Amino acid sequence: MHGRPDYQPPLDRQGVALRYLCAVVPMLFHGMVLAWLVMHDGDRLPQALIDWALGLIGLVLMRWRRRWPWQIALATALLTTFSATATGPAQVAYVSLVTHRRWSRTVPVAVASVVFLLVGGSLGGVDQATFVSSVSGLTILGGLTVFGLYLRGRRDLELSLRERARAAEREQRQRIDQARLAERVKIAQEMHDVLAHRISLLAMLAGGLAYRTDLGPEQTREAALAIQENAHQSLNELRTVLRTLRDDGAVEAPQPDLAHLDALFGEVRAAGQRVEVDDSIDGRESLPAQTGRHAYRIVQEALTNARKHAPGASVTAELGGRPGEDLRIRVTNPTRSGSVPGPGGRLGLVGLAERTRMAGGTLSHTIQDGRFILDVRLPWEAADRDPAGDSG
C-alpha cells in the first residue's frame, strides 16, 4: 500500500531458505566457471579466491538487507565490480530494495548497479563478450525491478485482505455486542415491568397492614398470605427473566398475553386496587403473540403507575379493537395533587413509551377533568398467519 512503503511481512523459514537459494545458485554457477578456468590456467587462482571471498561477503551482508535495504543493495552491487559470485546476493538485495517502492533510493542504486556492471565488464578489456555480458546484465536488472514490484503488489494485496478480514471481524463483534445490548434492554424492560408490578402490590398490601387498625385476625392473615404469595411470584418471575441472561438472551415462552389479563385484574383487586374493566376486543385469538405480550405489559405497567401516583383511587381500563384495526388500550385514574410517587415513579411513562415503540404503536397521555388518561394504540394486522403452519 502506498501509505506504508516500509511494510515488510515477516518471513518464515521456508521464505528465508528460498531467498538464500536464489543467491547461492548464481554463486555456484559462477564458482564452477571460475574453477574450470583455474583448472586450465593456474595463474587465475588468486583472482578466483578473491572472487569467491567477495561472494561470501555478499552472502553474509544479505542478512541485514531488510534493516538497511539501500545500503546493503549498494554494497553488494559494488562487490559485483570485482566478483562474479557476488551477483547472486546483489540481485536478492536489489529485489528486496525494490519491494520498498522508494524510488528516491531505488533509482540511484539501480544507476550505480549499471555503472558497476559496466566497470566490472571493462576491467579485462572491451570486446564482444563484454558487450554481451553488459546487455545481459541490464536485461536482468530490468527483470529484477519488475519482479520486485510484483512482489510488492502481492504483499500490498495480502496486507489489504488481512486488514479487511480484521475490519470485518471487528464489525461482526460490534454487531454481536449491539444485538446482545438490544436483547438485554428488552430483558431489563421485562424485569422492570414485572418487579414494579409485584413490588407495588407488596407495598399496597403492607401499607394496608400498617395503617388499618380495624382488621380482624382473619383479614390480617389473608393480607399476610397475599404478601407471601406476591413475594413468591416476584422471585419466580425474576428467576425466569434472569435465566434468559444466562441462556441465549431470548425471552422464554410462554409469556403472558391478553388471555392473562383477567388473572392480572383479579390479582390487583385482591391486593386492594379498585379496577373497572371495559373489554370489547373482537377476535383476540388472531392477535400476534408478540403484540399480545406487549399489550399485557402495558396494562400491567399502567396499573402499577396508578398505584404509585394515585394509591387507593379507582382505575378504569378500556380495551378494544379487531383484526385490521389498532388494538386500543386506555387507562385512566384520578390525579392527586401532593402525592409523592415511590422510587422510579417518574420512569413509568418512559418504560411505557419504549414498550409501545418496540411494538410499533403510538402512546399519548394527558390530564383532563382531574383524571390522568393514558392512550396506547398497537398495530393489529388483518391477516396474521403462522409461517410455520402455512404449507401453501
Side-chain angles (χ1 to χ4, degrees):
M1 299 172 67
H2 294 285
R4 302 180 62 179
D6 289 328
Y7 169 74
Q8 295 290 327
L11 296 177
D12 54 13
R13 292 183 177 179
Q14 183 178 0
V16 173
L18 179 61
R19 282 153 180 78
Y20 275 95
L21 180 63
C22 292
V24 169
V25 169
M27 289 182 65
L28 292 177
F29 173 76
H30 290 290
M32 287 188 294
V33 171
L34 288 174
W36 184 83
L37 292 175
V38 170
M39 289 176 59
H40 290 78
D41 186 359
D43 294 338
R44 290 179 176 268
L45 181 59
Q47 179 183 356
L49 292 176
I50 295 174
D51 196 308
W52 290 332
L54 293 177
L56 291 175
I57 292 174
L59 192 65
V60 173
L61 290 176
M62 272 182 54
R63 180 178 180 181
W64 295 283
R65 71 189 185 281
R66 287 193 157 204
R67 182 177 300 179
W68 301 299
W70 72 269
Q71 294 93 330
I72 298 301
L74 184 62
T76 52
L78 178 60
L79 294 178
T80 60
T81 305
F82 309 99
S83 172
T85 56
T87 302
Q91 291 174 348
V92 174
Y94 178 75
V95 171
S96 180
L97 172 64
V98 173
T99 58
H100 286 78
R101 205 159 52 197
R102 287 184 176 270
W103 298 111
S104 60
R105 298 174 181 177
T106 303
V107 172
V109 173
V111 173
S113 298
V114 173
V115 172
F116 297 149
L117 175 65
L118 296 177
V119 172
S122 62
L123 289 178
V126 179
D127 52 16
Q128 186 176 3
T130 302
F131 176 77
V132 172
S133 63
S134 299
V135 173
S136 300
L138 290 174
T139 303
I140 293 174
L141 187 67
L144 293 175
T145 302
V146 174
F147 181 66
L149 293 175
Y150 166 76
L151 287 181
R152 179 66 196 194
R154 286 287 302 273
R155 291 174 181 176
D156 289 346
L157 178 60
E158 292 174 359
L159 177 62
S160 175
L161 292 177
R162 282 195 296 269
E163 290 180 345
R164 288 182 183 179
R166 286 194 292 267
E169 185 178 355
R170 288 194 299 269
E171 291 177 359
Q172 180 66 13
R173 285 198 299 267
Q174 290 175 356
R175 285 193 293 268
I176 293 175
D177 292 341
Q178 290 172 356
R180 287 175 177 171
L181 178 60
E183 201 61 48
R184 277 159 172 73
V185 169
K186 293 180 182 179
I187 295 171
Q189 182 68 43
E190 293 288 334
M191 188 180 299
H192 170 268
D193 293 345
V194 169
L195 292 184
H197 169 68
R198 292 293 175 188
I199 293 174
S200 64
L201 285 179
L202 290 173
M204 176 180 290
L205 292 168
L209 288 177
Y211 294 104
R212 292 191 61 180
T213 59
D214 58 337
L215 295 177
E218 185 62 27
Q219 292 175 315
T220 302
R221 180 176 176 276
E222 290 178 357
L225 288 175
I227 291 175
Q228 183 184 38
E229 181 181 353
N230 275 278
H232 288 165
Q233 287 286 345
S234 298
L235 290 175
N236 290 334
E237 292 178 354
L238 180 60
R239 290 192 190 100
T240 300
V241 175
L242 291 179
R243 193 177 298 121
T244 62
L245 291 173
R246 294 193 295 269
D247 298 333
D248 59 358
V251 179
E252 290 188 351
Q255 289 290 312
D257 53 20
L258 289 184
H260 298 81
L261 280 179
D262 290 339
L264 174 64
F265 293 137
E267 185 178 70
V268 298
R269 285 167 177 156
Q273 186 175 17
R274 292 180 294 164
V275 181
E276 297 179 6
V277 180
D278 181 7
D279 189 344
S280 60
I281 298 177
D282 185 18
R284 68 179 64 211
E285 64 278 356
S286 66
L287 185 71
Q290 185 80 353
T291 305
R293 181 166 65 86
H294 286 304
Y296 177 91
R297 294 301 186 193
I298 289 171
V299 174
Q300 183 185 60
E301 179 64 17
L303 295 177
T304 300
N305 286 344
R307 286 195 298 273
K308 290 179 181 179
H309 294 274
S314 177
V315 182
T316 301
E318 303 175 38
L319 299 95
R322 59 173 53 89
E325 299 180 359
D326 289 338
L327 175 64
R328 302 182 302 276
I329 301 172
R330 183 183 177 93
V331 180
T332 65
N333 60 268
T335 58
R336 293 191 175 182
S337 58
S339 62
V340 180
R346 299 183 182 275
L347 301 179
L349 287 176
V350 176
L352 282 169
E354 179 63 18
R355 170 77 65 179
T356 304
R357 186 193 63 79
M358 291 167 55
T362 60
L363 177 146
S364 63
H365 58 86
T366 184
I367 296 177
Q368 184 177 348
D369 298 331
R371 295 185 66 85
F372 177 80
I373 302 174
L374 176 71
D375 196 352
V376 177
R377 293 179 179 268
L378 303 181
W380 186 343
E381 297 296 334
D384 182 72
R385 303 172 63 184
D386 184 4
D390 185 7
S391 58

